[in-house]
Amino acid sequence: PAFAGTLKSFDLAQIPLDLVAPGASLDGRGDAVIDLAMGEAGAEGTARFDVTQGSFGLPMLPIGVPFDGVHGDVVLGGETLAKIDAFELTGPLIQVSAKGTLGQAPAATLAPLALEAQIEVRDATARSMLQGQGVRLGADGKASLSVGGTLGDPQVQTGTGRAPAPRPVPRQP
């Protein structure tokens, strides 16, 4: 089975995020160009997406974070579950640019992360919230982040240091 095509104005709230990021939420509408096929290890192919006017929520954040736009280029399959070639989020509170990989694992929440991101936090309240989560921001609200760990237990390190190596993935019987 395969799918190649364009999705127009799809509802982000319909994406089953709980399967990969329990407690996360996503709102807005987007367009995507997708070219996927089922390989031996799962989906393989590419996806490019653009989203406007939405918000996302994470369990560790007390509020949803609004955004004006999100763009991404992702390659699925091969040595990793997903290779994020580009991810750009722009909004009134925060701007994020990221790339990296999401590794293979028997369950999505166990997938190892290896991401590098640049963030700029534009809002004083959002700066306080992130700093309360241990993110070290510069006086200008900017930081470089390395994200390791797993999708279910991400480990974030700020500055030029590296994120801790992902924990070994438990084998499923």
Side-chain angles (χ1 to χ4, degrees):
F3 174 83
T6 301
L7 300 174
K8 291 286 190 185
S9 193
F10 65 91
D11 182 2
L12 299 179
Q14 299 303 312
I15 298 173
L17 285 181
D18 272 346
L19 297 175
V20 293
S25 63
L26 194 54
D27 181 43
R29 295 194 108 31
D31 297 332
V33 177
I34 299 171
D35 186 0
L36 297 175
M38 289 305 293
E40 288 181 26
E44 298 177 350
T46 61
R48 178 184 187 110
F49 58 88
D50 289 288
V51 178
T52 57
Q53 302 299 316
S55 68
F56 70 90
L58 298 171
M60 79 269 298
L61 299 176
I63 62 168
V65 177
F67 57 79
D68 299 321
V70 178
H71 167 79
D73 288 310
V74 179
V75 178
L76 300 172
E79 296 293 316
T80 62
L81 182 62
K83 179 178 179 228
I84 301 163
D85 287 331
F87 178 85
E88 306 286 334
L89 179 143
T90 305
L93 304 180
I94 191 169
Q95 179 173 327
V96 178
S97 174
K99 61 183 175 176
T101 60
L102 176 62
Q104 298 280 0
T109 56
L110 300 175
L113 296 170
L115 304 172
E116 299 294 328
Q118 304 296 316
I119 66 169
E120 178 183 354
V121 184
R122 300 172 171 171
D123 176 80
T125 302
R127 283 185 191 184
S128 294
M129 285 187 332
L130 282 174
Q131 288 170 327
Q133 295 290 324
V135 176
R136 294 188 310 268
L137 299 171
D140 58 359
K142 294 180 181 179
S144 295
L145 304 177
S146 294
V147 183
T150 64
L151 192 55
D153 184 22
Q155 304 296 311
V156 178
Q157 185 172 0
T158 55
T160 57
R162 302 293 295 170
R167 295 181 193 115
V169 175
R171 298 279 178 203
Q172 298 287 334

